[in-house]
Amino acid sequence: MSEKKVITLLNDLGIKYTTNSMIYTFKIFEDDLNFEKLKKFIDKKIISDFSGNAKYYYTSDEINSTEWFVIRSTHHWSYPQPENNYNNIIYDNSNYCTGCGSGLIQKDIFQMKKEPSWGKRNFIHLHWVMDELFINSRILNNFKSQNFTGIEIENVNFYKKNIVLNTVKHLKICNILEKSFFIENPEKIITCEKCNKTKYVLGWGGFYKFNKTILNNNNCDFIKSHEIFGDGLMASRYIIASKKVLNYFILNKIDEIEFKPIVLI
Ligand SMILES: [Zn+2]
């Protein structure tokens, strides 16, 4: 949809927005009368960018009612290096599937083209690699003092120079949860013709449901979902974090981590 049509739609619905050049920002609540109207345009992909870039907010009750959250960084920066060959350099690709992009296992540390552009932010993820988080070294000691479980802190190399970058570390999430995700209303279910694995494409709104026993019995503050997500050759797991992690983000005013409360059933 063209920019002009999006503005007309927002005006017609009486939705107030702010704009900074090409980026339009607005807030809408699920109980707003216009929410369903707007959602139809998003569901039909007429306004596709909205769902991908939207930031969702949850009430205190929704947050307090669970111990687990799916998290992601809204600050995407740059690409893994070397861009045209990182699959072979960073990953063991002996089980890689060229049909769906799944099967990569990290074998070497990540490389970036330079120190990340942090601004005020402390967490980023790289484009293409949706299930790896990187942390700003300036808060590393603070982060480490929490003794979160399920992660290792790894260096990140300056690509081509083979030296360690100063301002960034990789939060390597070590474990994968057992199958426990009750996937409802996926936008897409993809069964790979080559490897027969199933991937999903999900909207980010609403809630995700997981098996209570499996999630509560794992001992990790950070863990990856068993299930794999992404269209085309994108194949990543969701990052699941405990409430201890969420409280850390809130206490330290980490605004670039978006979270979704998990409903346990
Ligand atoms: Zn496959």
Side-chain angles (χ1 to χ4, degrees):
M1 186 180 260
S2 72
E3 186 185 350
K4 203 174 166 187
K5 283 185 179 167
V6 171
I7 295 167
T8 306
L9 173 71
L10 294 177
N11 285 336
D12 288 350
L13 293 174
I15 296 170
K16 287 188 181 135
Y17 55 84
T18 55
T19 180
N20 174 7
S21 183
M22 294 293 287
I23 298 170
Y24 292 81
T25 310
F26 61 87
K27 281 185 185 178
I28 188 162
F29 293 94
E30 282 176 333
D31 56 3
D32 189 307
L33 291 173
N34 286 321
F35 180 79
E36 285 305 318
K37 286 185 199 164
L38 192 69
K39 192 169 175 291
K40 274 183 199 160
F41 286 96
I42 295 169
D43 290 345
K44 286 180 187 168
K45 311 274 184 206
I46 293 171
I47 318 178
S48 57
D49 275 2
F50 281 4
S51 55
N53 294 327
K55 182 153 185 170
Y56 294 85
Y57 294 90
Y58 295 88
T59 66
S60 301
D61 283 350
E62 288 166 344
I63 293 167
N64 290 334
S65 65
T66 184
E67 293 296 315
W68 298 97
F69 302 83
V70 174
I71 64 166
R72 65 178 183 182
S73 171
T74 56
H75 182 35
H76 308 183
W77 176 84
S78 191
Y79 301 88
Q81 301 297 324
E83 283 174 35
N84 58 1
N85 198 27
Y86 74 98
N87 275 358
N88 301 313
I89 307 277
I90 298 171
Y91 293 101
D92 170 355
N93 61 4
S94 47
N95 289 315
Y96 180 68
C97 175
T98 53
C100 65
S102 69
L104 291 174
I105 296 169
Q106 193 196 336
K107 67 172 182 185
D108 208 341
I109 61 172
F110 276 85
Q111 303 182 68
M112 295 180 181
K113 63 181 178 185
K114 58 179 182 175
E115 300 284 357
S117 307
W118 291 106
K120 290 178 181 169
R121 290 161 297 224
N122 288 309
F123 291 85
I124 56 167
H125 79 228
L126 293 168
H127 290 290
W128 304 337
V129 188
M130 306 301 283
D131 50 7
E132 302 295 341
L133 273 175
F134 297 85
I135 185 171
N136 194 325
S137 301
R138 69 185 162 206
I139 61 158
L140 193 61
N141 285 341
N142 177 8
F143 183 85
K144 278 183 181 170
S145 71
Q146 303 295 311
N147 295 316
F148 292 125
T149 53
I151 46 166
E152 286 171 10
I153 312 278
E154 281 193 339
N155 287 332
V156 177
N157 260 7
F158 195 157
Y159 176 51
K160 283 185 176 167
K161 303 201 173 174
N162 207 29
I163 52 172
V164 174
L165 287 166
N166 287 324
T167 69
V168 59
K169 299 286 177 198
H170 173 211
L171 298 184
K172 183 178 180 179
I173 300 168
C174 307
N175 299 294
I176 293 171
L177 193 65
E178 284 176 61
K179 204 170 191 310
S180 54
F181 198 158
F182 298 99
I183 293 176
E184 296 174 333
N185 307 315
E187 286 178 16
K188 216 169 175 180
I189 301 175
I190 303 157
T191 304
C192 178
E193 289 179 2
K194 277 200 169 170
C195 72
N196 213 29
K197 278 194 190 125
T198 304
K199 292 196 303 179
Y200 306 89
V201 178
L202 300 184
W204 183 257
F207 295 91
Y208 294 155
K209 295 177 182 170
F210 279 71
N211 179 290
K212 184 178 185 174
T213 312
I214 292 175
L215 207 42
N216 282 343
N217 283 351
N218 101 81
N219 295 317
C220 301
D221 287 311
F222 287 87
I223 194 162
K224 289 185 180 181
S225 70
H226 175 91
E227 295 73 14
I228 300 171
F229 302 89
D231 216 343
L233 285 177
M234 293 297 294
S236 59
R237 299 172 193 275
Y238 279 156
I239 300 174
I240 299 162
S242 68
K243 188 172 267 176
K244 181 180 170 185
V245 174
L246 184 80
N247 286 338
Y248 173 80
F249 290 142
I250 291 172
L251 196 68
N252 288 280
K253 299 186 170 59
I254 308 287
D255 196 37
E256 64 276 18
I257 294 287
E258 190 181 4
F259 59 88
K260 177 196 288 291
I262 287 176
V263 175
L264 296 171
I265 55 176

